[in-house]
Amino acid sequence: MTSPAKPSSKPTTKKPDAHVPDAFSWDADKSPTFEKSARASLQDSQLRRNLGKATKTIREKREVAVSEMPDWELLRQAGSDIKRRVARHLDKYLLQLEESVVRAGGRVHWARDGAEANRIVTGIAKEKNASEVVKVKSIATDEIKLNEHLEAEGIHAYETDLAELIVQLSEDTPSHILVPAIHKNRAEIKDLFQRKFGQKLSDEPEELANAARLYLREKFLKAKVGVSGANFAVAETGTVCVVESEGNGRMCTTLPETLVTVMGIEKIIPEWRDHEVFMQTLPRSSTAERMNPYTSFWTGVSGGDGPKEFHLVLLDNGRTDVLSDRVGRQSLACIRCSACLNVCPVYERAGGHAYNSVYPGPIGAILTPQLVGVGKKGPDSLPYASSLCGACYEVCPVKINIPEVLIHLRGKVVRNRQDKEDDWRGHPLSTLGKKLDPENAAMAGMARAFSDVKRYEQAQKLARAGQLPFKRGGNIKSLPGMLGGWTSVRDLKAVPKRSFRDWWRENR
Ligand code: SF4
């Protein structure tokens, strides 16, 4: 075996923010709107080509894998039922999980938010005198910016999932839940590895994977602490499960003497036998595989085998707020398969970075605004990042009705804006000021017109006369002011000379 490649430099983790909000750790207050970010990514034709090719391939393979299962719909229903039961009795299952983990020799930590979870993990790493940790891909730790916090405390986190390593080495951010470097092609990865590992490489996948393997092997063998996420944790037995395709997760969870798992509280499943459902639906929905290549299970600690210490960090970070919303809580059933991303026409064109969140695509569009709370410009724009075609709902293996939640959240965003106390300059708005807000006034006017037949017909007459300067053929291509938002991306059908009601009155 050749000796591990020496990197030309240590992969850098982006600098921690001066202030990381307690409630949530991505810059929800400062992030731009989806529309603005999507406009920028739509200019990148290479990105669109990479994404289009990758999502088409996964989509087609998934369709074949799913069509082989005669009971697919029953499995979807079973998955949905299990996750909804978890949401209804989460308090009970969390306590049961804690008891099971402790019984098996592990320790359980409760973290209200990202800051608390980061303090716990950093504290454990420091206690073990670790200057480096190895990590298996975990979106929960991306959500709380764990790597940046560890870096600030002098501890470097090595991502060991190949795609995450690519993202980390290129100082980029993930753009897909399952394939974080989906926006990069082989040639770009070859250039990156040549630069970072200081060796000549071809763009053959085997050669690139081997270079990464040699680099990572040394890290696995040296690390005192491993950090993982969790796909599932069984309340009944305390068993934690990680599902991955490369074997890096198994190295992370077995080689270091101390293992820390950071898990969102919604990842619980009640019983061991529930795996029967998810081990069939998750691999087929995510990578289109009949069976997942590497599935690791561990229950506390066992002498002479694997880590000597196991810590489970249960992360809330906004999840209990999501749980309190009758419609929105179904988002917590997500098993992060990413099938909804691969079928979404908006995601395919705009790419993951346009969502400005660790959760891109349709699931990100409903999860992010709920986790950070309505009232922030960037996240508030996400429920609108959809054509409501419903493809995401059709493929979701746990039947999350994403279009329903999107519409529900749009309503919340609008109601929040109508109730806002300040104008755009931060000046307090009087009751009259709220009424005069152009959007509020337009919505109130439409609500009045649509609630009464006479008023509706009157409004139609007015619109018929008012459209004349803008009408070209049967379409209106451009409207002034606020209304221009509609016609900037699509034509508006002109109000016809005669309405259906008029026709009906004349012909019945
Ligand atoms: S919402 Fe459904 S389809 Fe999308 S990632 Fe989650 S489980 Fe998969």
Side-chain angles (χ1 to χ4, degrees), residues 1-45:
M1 190 171 137
T2 39
S3 60
K6 291 269 179 277
S8 60
S9 62
K10 194 158 94 168
T12 47
T13 301
K14 281 184 286 328
K15 295 273 175 294
D17 298 321
H19 169 66
V20 179
D22 267 2
F24 218 73
S25 297
W26 63 69
D27 298 326
D29 284 321
K30 291 184 230 148
S31 67
T33 62
F34 175 84
E35 198 187 335
K36 190 166 178 216
S37 303
R39 269 184 209 285
S41 48
L42 283 170
Q43 309 298 319
D44 187 342
S45 52

mmCIF file of all heavy atoms in Angstrom, residues 1-45:
data_model
loop_
_atom_site.group_PDB
_atom_site.id
_atom_site.type_symbol
_atom_site.label_atom_id
_atom_site.label_comp_id
_atom_site.label_asym_id
_atom_site.label_seq_id
_atom_site.Cartn_x
_atom_site.Cartn_y
_atom_site.Cartn_z
ATOM 1 N N MET A 1 0.843 -1.212 0.000
ATOM 2 C CA MET A 1 0.000 0.000 0.000
ATOM 3 C C MET A 1 0.876 1.259 0.000
ATOM 4 O O MET A 1 1.845 1.333 0.740
ATOM 5 C CB MET A 1 -0.862 -0.039 1.260
ATOM 6 C CG MET A 1 -1.937 0.984 1.283
ATOM 7 S SD MET A 1 -3.022 0.628 2.683
ATOM 8 C CE MET A 1 -3.251 2.260 3.314
ATOM 9 N N THR A 2 0.573 2.198 -0.833
ATOM 10 C CA THR A 2 1.338 3.451 -0.830
ATOM 11 C C THR A 2 1.045 4.246 0.422
ATOM 12 O O THR A 2 -0.021 4.114 1.016
ATOM 13 C CB THR A 2 0.959 4.321 -2.053
ATOM 14 O OG1 THR A 2 -0.424 4.191 -2.248
ATOM 15 C CG2 THR A 2 1.724 3.948 -3.282
ATOM 16 N N SER A 3 1.989 5.091 0.801
ATOM 17 C CA SER A 3 1.757 5.886 2.014
ATOM 18 C C SER A 3 0.756 6.995 1.749
ATOM 19 O O SER A 3 0.639 7.481 0.626
ATOM 20 C CB SER A 3 3.071 6.482 2.519
ATOM 21 O OG SER A 3 3.567 7.281 1.502
ATOM 22 N N PRO A 4 0.036 7.398 2.809
ATOM 23 C CA PRO A 4 -0.997 8.414 2.609
ATOM 24 C C PRO A 4 -0.443 9.687 1.983
ATOM 25 O O PRO A 4 0.660 10.111 2.299
ATOM 26 C CB PRO A 4 -1.497 8.694 4.041
ATOM 27 C CG PRO A 4 -1.054 7.521 4.833
ATOM 28 C CD PRO A 4 0.153 6.967 4.179
ATOM 29 N N ALA A 5 -1.220 10.253 1.080
ATOM 30 C CA ALA A 5 -0.791 11.497 0.439
ATOM 31 C C ALA A 5 -0.746 12.615 1.449
ATOM 32 O O ALA A 5 -1.582 12.700 2.335
ATOM 33 C CB ALA A 5 -1.782 11.850 -0.663
ATOM 34 N N LYS A 6 0.255 13.465 1.305
ATOM 35 C CA LYS A 6 0.349 14.618 2.218
ATOM 36 C C LYS A 6 -0.362 15.805 1.580
ATOM 37 O O LYS A 6 -0.040 16.198 0.467
ATOM 38 C CB LYS A 6 1.819 14.986 2.453
ATOM 39 C CG LYS A 6 2.555 13.930 3.273
ATOM 40 C CD LYS A 6 2.469 14.238 4.761
ATOM 41 C CE LYS A 6 3.157 13.202 5.601
ATOM 42 N NZ LYS A 6 2.393 12.018 5.892
ATOM 43 N N PRO A 7 -1.284 16.402 2.275
ATOM 44 C CA PRO A 7 -1.945 17.559 1.685
ATOM 45 C C PRO A 7 -1.007 18.750 1.674
ATOM 46 O O PRO A 7 -0.163 18.866 2.554
ATOM 47 C CB PRO A 7 -3.122 17.802 2.638
ATOM 48 C CG PRO A 7 -2.676 17.240 3.942
ATOM 49 C CD PRO A 7 -1.765 16.111 3.626
ATOM 50 N N SER A 8 -1.171 19.603 0.678
ATOM 51 C CA SER A 8 -0.323 20.787 0.642
ATOM 52 C C SER A 8 -0.697 21.736 1.760
ATOM 53 O O SER A 8 0.085 22.530 2.214
ATOM 54 C CB SER A 8 -0.470 21.474 -0.712
ATOM 55 O OG SER A 8 -1.807 21.850 -0.894
ATOM 56 N N SER A 9 -1.912 21.689 2.221
ATOM 57 C CA SER A 9 -2.320 22.533 3.350
ATOM 58 C C SER A 9 -3.500 21.870 4.042
ATOM 59 O O SER A 9 -4.210 21.081 3.457
ATOM 60 C CB SER A 9 -2.735 23.920 2.848
ATOM 61 O OG SER A 9 -3.836 23.773 2.007
ATOM 62 N N LYS A 10 -3.663 22.226 5.331
ATOM 63 C CA LYS A 10 -4.807 21.679 6.092
ATOM 64 C C LYS A 10 -6.090 22.288 5.535
ATOM 65 O O LYS A 10 -6.109 23.480 5.260
ATOM 66 C CB LYS A 10 -4.631 22.080 7.554
ATOM 67 C CG LYS A 10 -5.521 21.321 8.490
ATOM 68 C CD LYS A 10 -4.972 21.349 9.878
ATOM 69 C CE LYS A 10 -5.554 22.462 10.697
ATOM 70 N NZ LYS A 10 -5.263 22.374 12.110
ATOM 71 N N PRO A 11 -7.150 21.488 5.318
ATOM 72 C CA PRO A 11 -8.383 22.114 4.836
ATOM 73 C C PRO A 11 -8.868 23.138 5.842
ATOM 74 O O PRO A 11 -8.852 22.884 7.038
ATOM 75 C CB PRO A 11 -9.359 20.944 4.713
ATOM 76 C CG PRO A 11 -8.779 19.833 5.497
ATOM 77 C CD PRO A 11 -7.310 20.053 5.549
ATOM 78 N N THR A 12 -9.233 24.258 5.343
ATOM 79 C CA THR A 12 -9.649 25.310 6.265
ATOM 80 C C THR A 12 -11.154 25.294 6.446
ATOM 81 O O THR A 12 -11.895 24.986 5.531
ATOM 82 C CB THR A 12 -9.237 26.699 5.740
ATOM 83 O OG1 THR A 12 -9.600 26.753 4.391
ATOM 84 C CG2 THR A 12 -7.761 26.959 5.903
ATOM 85 N N THR A 13 -11.566 25.632 7.644
ATOM 86 C CA THR A 13 -12.984 25.776 7.914
ATOM 87 C C THR A 13 -13.257 27.271 7.926
ATOM 88 O O THR A 13 -12.462 28.037 8.444
ATOM 89 C CB THR A 13 -13.313 25.176 9.288
ATOM 90 O OG1 THR A 13 -12.920 23.809 9.258
ATOM 91 C CG2 THR A 13 -14.777 25.276 9.605
ATOM 92 N N LYS A 14 -14.368 27.652 7.317
ATOM 93 C CA LYS A 14 -14.642 29.090 7.245
ATOM 94 C C LYS A 14 -14.661 29.712 8.632
ATOM 95 O O LYS A 14 -15.056 29.084 9.604
ATOM 96 C CB LYS A 14 -15.964 29.339 6.522
ATOM 97 C CG LYS A 14 -15.761 29.225 5.024
ATOM 98 C CD LYS A 14 -16.988 29.555 4.259
ATOM 99 C CE LYS A 14 -18.039 28.476 4.320
ATOM 100 N NZ LYS A 14 -17.674 27.112 4.426
ATOM 101 N N LYS A 15 -14.200 30.949 8.729
ATOM 102 C CA LYS A 15 -14.087 31.633 10.020
ATOM 103 C C LYS A 15 -15.446 31.683 10.730
ATOM 104 O O LYS A 15 -16.455 31.942 10.109
ATOM 105 C CB LYS A 15 -13.606 33.079 9.808
ATOM 106 C CG LYS A 15 -12.198 33.169 9.243
ATOM 107 C CD LYS A 15 -11.178 33.143 10.368
ATOM 108 C CE LYS A 15 -9.763 33.099 9.851
ATOM 109 N NZ LYS A 15 -9.380 31.897 9.126
ATOM 110 N N PRO A 16 -15.444 31.462 12.070
ATOM 111 C CA PRO A 16 -16.708 31.566 12.783
ATOM 112 C C PRO A 16 -17.209 33.009 12.781
ATOM 113 O O PRO A 16 -16.422 33.935 12.712
ATOM 114 C CB PRO A 16 -16.346 31.130 14.204
ATOM 115 C CG PRO A 16 -14.876 31.328 14.311
ATOM 116 C CD PRO A 16 -14.307 31.165 12.949
ATOM 117 N N ASP A 17 -18.499 33.165 12.823
ATOM 118 C CA ASP A 17 -19.048 34.525 12.864
ATOM 119 C C ASP A 17 -18.717 35.154 14.198
ATOM 120 O O ASP A 17 -18.557 34.482 15.197
ATOM 121 C CB ASP A 17 -20.570 34.478 12.724
ATOM 122 C CG ASP A 17 -20.942 33.880 11.402
ATOM 123 O OD1 ASP A 17 -20.260 34.174 10.406
ATOM 124 O OD2 ASP A 17 -21.889 33.100 11.379
ATOM 125 N N ALA A 18 -18.634 36.478 14.179
ATOM 126 C CA ALA A 18 -18.364 37.185 15.440
ATOM 127 C C ALA A 18 -19.485 36.880 16.422
ATOM 128 O O ALA A 18 -19.271 36.672 17.600
ATOM 129 C CB ALA A 18 -18.290 38.660 15.163
ATOM 130 N N HIS A 19 -20.700 36.843 15.903
ATOM 131 C CA HIS A 19 -21.829 36.538 16.776
ATOM 132 C C HIS A 19 -22.659 35.435 16.146
ATOM 133 O O HIS A 19 -23.089 35.538 15.013
ATOM 134 C CB HIS A 19 -22.697 37.784 16.969
ATOM 135 C CG HIS A 19 -23.996 37.459 17.644
ATOM 136 N ND1 HIS A 19 -24.052 37.019 18.940
ATOM 137 C CD2 HIS A 19 -25.257 37.444 17.173
ATOM 138 C CE1 HIS A 19 -25.314 36.782 19.254
ATOM 139 N NE2 HIS A 19 -26.070 37.025 18.198
ATOM 140 N N VAL A 20 -22.830 34.355 16.848
ATOM 141 C CA VAL A 20 -23.670 33.272 16.336
ATOM 142 C C VAL A 20 -24.952 33.268 17.156
ATOM 143 O O VAL A 20 -24.928 33.067 18.362
ATOM 144 C CB VAL A 20 -22.961 31.911 16.457
ATOM 145 C CG1 VAL A 20 -23.858 30.810 15.941
ATOM 146 C CG2 VAL A 20 -21.662 31.933 15.680
ATOM 147 N N PRO A 21 -26.087 33.555 16.542
ATOM 148 C CA PRO A 21 -27.317 33.631 17.333
ATOM 149 C C PRO A 21 -27.619 32.317 18.027
ATOM 150 O O PRO A 21 -27.347 31.254 17.481
ATOM 151 C CB PRO A 21 -28.394 33.947 16.304
ATOM 152 C CG PRO A 21 -27.733 34.089 15.007
ATOM 153 C CD PRO A 21 -26.310 33.712 15.129
ATOM 154 N N ASP A 22 -28.152 32.408 19.231
ATOM 155 C CA ASP A 22 -28.455 31.215 20.006
ATOM 156 C C ASP A 22 -29.547 30.381 19.355
ATOM 157 O O ASP A 22 -29.497 29.176 19.336
ATOM 158 C CB ASP A 22 -28.932 31.615 21.407
ATOM 159 C CG ASP A 22 -27.754 31.650 22.352
ATOM 160 O OD1 ASP A 22 -26.638 31.406 21.869
ATOM 161 O OD2 ASP A 22 -27.959 31.914 23.541
ATOM 162 N N ALA A 23 -30.559 31.084 18.828
ATOM 163 C CA ALA A 23 -31.730 30.365 18.354
ATOM 164 C C ALA A 23 -31.431 29.541 17.113
ATOM 165 O O ALA A 23 -31.932 28.459 16.947
ATOM 166 C CB ALA A 23 -32.859 31.334 18.050
ATOM 167 N N PHE A 24 -30.597 30.071 16.235
ATOM 168 C CA PHE A 24 -30.285 29.338 15.021
ATOM 169 C C PHE A 24 -28.999 29.870 14.458
ATOM 170 O O PHE A 24 -28.679 31.014 14.621
ATOM 171 C CB PHE A 24 -31.407 29.497 14.005
ATOM 172 C CG PHE A 24 -31.625 28.227 13.266
ATOM 173 C CD1 PHE A 24 -32.234 27.153 13.868
ATOM 174 C CD2 PHE A 24 -31.161 28.104 11.975
ATOM 175 C CE1 PHE A 24 -32.410 25.968 13.187
ATOM 176 C CE2 PHE A 24 -31.332 26.921 11.286
ATOM 177 C CZ PHE A 24 -31.958 25.850 11.885
ATOM 178 N N SER A 25 -28.255 28.998 13.775
ATOM 179 C CA SER A 25 -26.897 29.423 13.496
ATOM 180 C C SER A 25 -26.596 29.841 12.072
ATOM 181 O O SER A 25 -25.494 30.173 11.772
ATOM 182 C CB SER A 25 -25.936 28.319 13.909
ATOM 183 O OG SER A 25 -26.055 28.135 15.280
ATOM 184 N N TRP A 26 -27.523 29.747 11.145
ATOM 185 C CA TRP A 26 -27.178 30.391 9.877
ATOM 186 C C TRP A 26 -27.756 31.783 9.906
ATOM 187 O O TRP A 26 -28.656 32.095 10.678
ATOM 188 C CB TRP A 26 -27.574 29.594 8.661
ATOM 189 C CG TRP A 26 -29.014 29.337 8.460
ATOM 190 C CD1 TRP A 26 -29.961 30.251 8.141
ATOM 191 C CD2 TRP A 26 -29.671 28.078 8.564
ATOM 192 N NE1 TRP A 26 -31.158 29.636 8.032
ATOM 193 C CE2 TRP A 26 -31.015 28.307 8.283
ATOM 194 C CE3 TRP A 26 -29.250 26.791 8.852
ATOM 195 C CZ2 TRP A 26 -31.947 27.299 8.297
ATOM 196 C CZ3 TRP A 26 -30.176 25.793 8.855
ATOM 197 C CH2 TRP A 26 -31.500 26.041 8.581
ATOM 198 N N ASP A 27 -27.210 32.628 9.043
ATOM 199 C CA ASP A 27 -27.515 34.043 9.185
ATOM 200 C C ASP A 27 -28.884 34.364 8.621
ATOM 201 O O ASP A 27 -29.015 35.029 7.602
ATOM 202 C CB ASP A 27 -26.436 34.877 8.486
ATOM 203 C CG ASP A 27 -25.096 34.639 9.133
ATOM 204 O OD1 ASP A 27 -25.091 34.433 10.355
ATOM 205 O OD2 ASP A 27 -24.088 34.660 8.432
ATOM 206 N N ALA A 28 -29.914 33.898 9.319
ATOM 207 C CA ALA A 28 -31.278 34.051 8.821
ATOM 208 C C ALA A 28 -31.650 35.523 8.653
ATOM 209 O O ALA A 28 -32.389 35.884 7.750
ATOM 210 C CB ALA A 28 -32.240 33.368 9.764
ATOM 211 N N ASP A 29 -31.110 36.374 9.538
ATOM 212 C CA ASP A 29 -31.472 37.791 9.466
ATOM 213 C C ASP A 29 -30.831 38.483 8.267
ATOM 214 O O ASP A 29 -31.370 39.420 7.728
ATOM 215 C CB ASP A 29 -31.033 38.507 10.746
ATOM 216 C CG ASP A 29 -31.980 38.165 11.886
ATOM 217 O OD1 ASP A 29 -33.195 38.087 11.635
ATOM 218 O OD2 ASP A 29 -31.495 37.949 13.005
ATOM 219 N N LYS A 30 -29.628 37.981 7.912
ATOM 220 C CA LYS A 30 -28.872 38.684 6.874
ATOM 221 C C LYS A 30 -28.980 38.022 5.507
ATOM 222 O O LYS A 30 -28.603 38.597 4.505
ATOM 223 C CB LYS A 30 -27.393 38.725 7.274
ATOM 224 C CG LYS A 30 -27.105 39.611 8.470
ATOM 225 C CD LYS A 30 -25.607 39.655 8.712
ATOM 226 C CE LYS A 30 -25.293 39.366 10.176
ATOM 227 N NZ LYS A 30 -24.042 38.688 10.369
ATOM 228 N N SER A 31 -29.465 36.773 5.441
ATOM 229 C CA SER A 31 -29.379 36.058 4.171
ATOM 230 C C SER A 31 -30.282 36.698 3.118
ATOM 231 O O SER A 31 -31.381 37.150 3.410
ATOM 232 C CB SER A 31 -29.726 34.582 4.354
ATOM 233 O OG SER A 31 -31.071 34.432 4.694
ATOM 234 N N PRO A 32 -29.787 36.729 1.859
ATOM 235 C CA PRO A 32 -30.591 37.341 0.794
ATOM 236 C C PRO A 32 -31.809 36.492 0.454
ATOM 237 O O PRO A 32 -31.903 35.340 0.877
ATOM 238 C CB PRO A 32 -29.624 37.392 -0.385
ATOM 239 C CG PRO A 32 -28.575 36.395 -0.085
ATOM 240 C CD PRO A 32 -28.505 36.219 1.395
ATOM 241 N N THR A 33 -32.716 37.044 -0.308
ATOM 242 C CA THR A 33 -33.911 36.283 -0.674
ATOM 243 C C THR A 33 -33.531 35.211 -1.702
ATOM 244 O O THR A 33 -32.511 35.319 -2.394
ATOM 245 C CB THR A 33 -34.980 37.183 -1.318
ATOM 246 O OG1 THR A 33 -34.436 37.733 -2.504
ATOM 247 C CG2 THR A 33 -35.428 38.275 -0.383
ATOM 248 N N PHE A 34 -34.394 34.190 -1.806
ATOM 249 C CA PHE A 34 -34.174 33.123 -2.785
ATOM 250 C C PHE A 34 -34.104 33.725 -4.186
ATOM 251 O O PHE A 34 -33.253 33.361 -4.993
ATOM 252 C CB PHE A 34 -35.305 32.091 -2.692
ATOM 253 C CG PHE A 34 -35.211 31.031 -3.742
ATOM 254 C CD1 PHE A 34 -34.403 29.929 -3.551
ATOM 255 C CD2 PHE A 34 -35.909 31.142 -4.936
ATOM 256 C CE1 PHE A 34 -34.281 28.947 -4.539
ATOM 257 C CE2 PHE A 34 -35.798 30.173 -5.919
ATOM 258 C CZ PHE A 34 -34.983 29.077 -5.712
ATOM 259 N N GLU A 35 -35.022 34.652 -4.454
ATOM 260 C CA GLU A 35 -35.108 35.237 -5.792
ATOM 261 C C GLU A 35 -33.769 35.858 -6.201
ATOM 262 O O GLU A 35 -33.268 35.633 -7.296
ATOM 263 C CB GLU A 35 -36.212 36.293 -5.784
ATOM 264 C CG GLU A 35 -36.684 36.653 -7.162
ATOM 265 C CD GLU A 35 -37.648 37.830 -7.129
ATOM 266 O OE1 GLU A 35 -38.298 38.048 -6.090
ATOM 267 O OE2 GLU A 35 -37.716 38.532 -8.139
ATOM 268 N N LYS A 36 -33.180 36.607 -5.251
ATOM 269 C CA LYS A 36 -31.922 37.292 -5.557
ATOM 270 C C LYS A 36 -30.803 36.265 -5.791
ATOM 271 O O LYS A 36 -30.050 36.357 -6.763
ATOM 272 C CB LYS A 36 -31.576 38.218 -4.379
ATOM 273 C CG LYS A 36 -30.448 39.138 -4.662
ATOM 274 C CD LYS A 36 -30.343 40.245 -3.646
ATOM 275 C CE LYS A 36 -29.131 41.099 -4.004
ATOM 276 N NZ LYS A 36 -28.447 41.585 -2.857
ATOM 277 N N SER A 37 -30.707 35.280 -4.914
ATOM 278 C CA SER A 37 -29.635 34.287 -5.052
ATOM 279 C C SER A 37 -29.837 33.428 -6.292
ATOM 280 O O SER A 37 -28.875 33.049 -6.953
ATOM 281 C CB SER A 37 -29.594 33.387 -3.819
ATOM 282 O OG SER A 37 -29.428 34.160 -2.674
ATOM 283 N N ALA A 38 -31.108 33.096 -6.592
ATOM 284 C CA ALA A 38 -31.366 32.251 -7.758
ATOM 285 C C ALA A 38 -30.981 32.981 -9.045
ATOM 286 O O ALA A 38 -30.448 32.378 -9.978
ATOM 287 C CB ALA A 38 -32.833 31.842 -7.797
ATOM 288 N N ARG A 39 -31.228 34.302 -9.074
ATOM 289 C CA ARG A 39 -30.856 35.065 -10.269
ATOM 290 C C ARG A 39 -29.362 34.920 -10.537
ATOM 291 O O ARG A 39 -28.926 34.743 -11.671
ATOM 292 C CB ARG A 39 -31.179 36.553 -10.066
ATOM 293 C CG ARG A 39 -32.547 36.928 -10.541
ATOM 294 C CD ARG A 39 -32.785 38.421 -10.416
ATOM 295 N NE ARG A 39 -34.193 38.679 -10.208
ATOM 296 C CZ ARG A 39 -35.114 38.594 -11.155
ATOM 297 N NH1 ARG A 39 -34.754 38.281 -12.373
ATOM 298 N NH2 ARG A 39 -36.381 38.824 -10.883
ATOM 299 N N ALA A 40 -28.570 34.966 -9.446
ATOM 300 C CA ALA A 40 -27.114 34.846 -9.600
ATOM 301 C C ALA A 40 -26.754 33.441 -10.083
ATOM 302 O O ALA A 40 -25.969 33.290 -11.028
ATOM 303 C CB ALA A 40 -26.428 35.164 -8.275
ATOM 304 N N SER A 41 -27.341 32.400 -9.484
ATOM 305 C CA SER A 41 -26.917 31.053 -9.880
ATOM 306 C C SER A 41 -27.422 30.686 -11.279
ATOM 307 O O SER A 41 -26.814 29.870 -11.962
ATOM 308 C CB SER A 41 -27.326 30.004 -8.842
ATOM 309 O OG SER A 41 -28.652 30.151 -8.473
ATOM 310 N N LEU A 42 -28.516 31.320 -11.708
ATOM 311 C CA LEU A 42 -29.021 31.025 -13.056
ATOM 312 C C LEU A 42 -28.064 31.509 -14.152
ATOM 313 O O LEU A 42 -28.129 31.063 -15.289
ATOM 314 C CB LEU A 42 -30.403 31.655 -13.253
ATOM 315 C CG LEU A 42 -31.558 30.902 -12.570
ATOM 316 C CD1 LEU A 42 -32.836 31.715 -12.617
ATOM 317 C CD2 LEU A 42 -31.783 29.534 -13.205
ATOM 318 N N GLN A 43 -27.161 32.437 -13.774
ATOM 319 C CA GLN A 43 -26.167 32.926 -14.752
ATOM 320 C C GLN A 43 -25.067 31.890 -14.990
ATOM 321 O O GLN A 43 -24.309 31.991 -15.950
ATOM 322 C CB GLN A 43 -25.483 34.216 -14.239
ATOM 323 C CG GLN A 43 -26.399 35.327 -13.779
ATOM 324 C CD GLN A 43 -27.273 35.834 -14.899
ATOM 325 O OE1 GLN A 43 -26.799 35.973 -16.022
ATOM 326 N NE2 GLN A 43 -28.542 36.059 -14.615
ATOM 327 N N ASP A 44 -24.945 30.918 -14.087
ATOM 328 C CA ASP A 44 -23.842 29.967 -14.142
ATOM 329 C C ASP A 44 -24.247 28.736 -14.966
ATOM 330 O O ASP A 44 -24.847 27.799 -14.456
ATOM 331 C CB ASP A 44 -23.461 29.575 -12.700
ATOM 332 C CG ASP A 44 -22.212 28.727 -12.640
ATOM 333 O OD1 ASP A 44 -21.836 28.157 -13.678
ATOM 334 O OD2 ASP A 44 -21.628 28.632 -11.550
ATOM 335 N N SER A 45 -23.898 28.748 -16.249
ATOM 336 C CA SER A 45 -24.375 27.665 -17.122
ATOM 337 C C SER A 45 -23.698 26.335 -16.785
ATOM 338 O O SER A 45 -24.292 25.277 -16.935
ATOM 339 C CB SER A 45 -24.171 28.036 -18.590
ATOM 340 O OG SER A 45 -22.839 28.416 -18.779
#
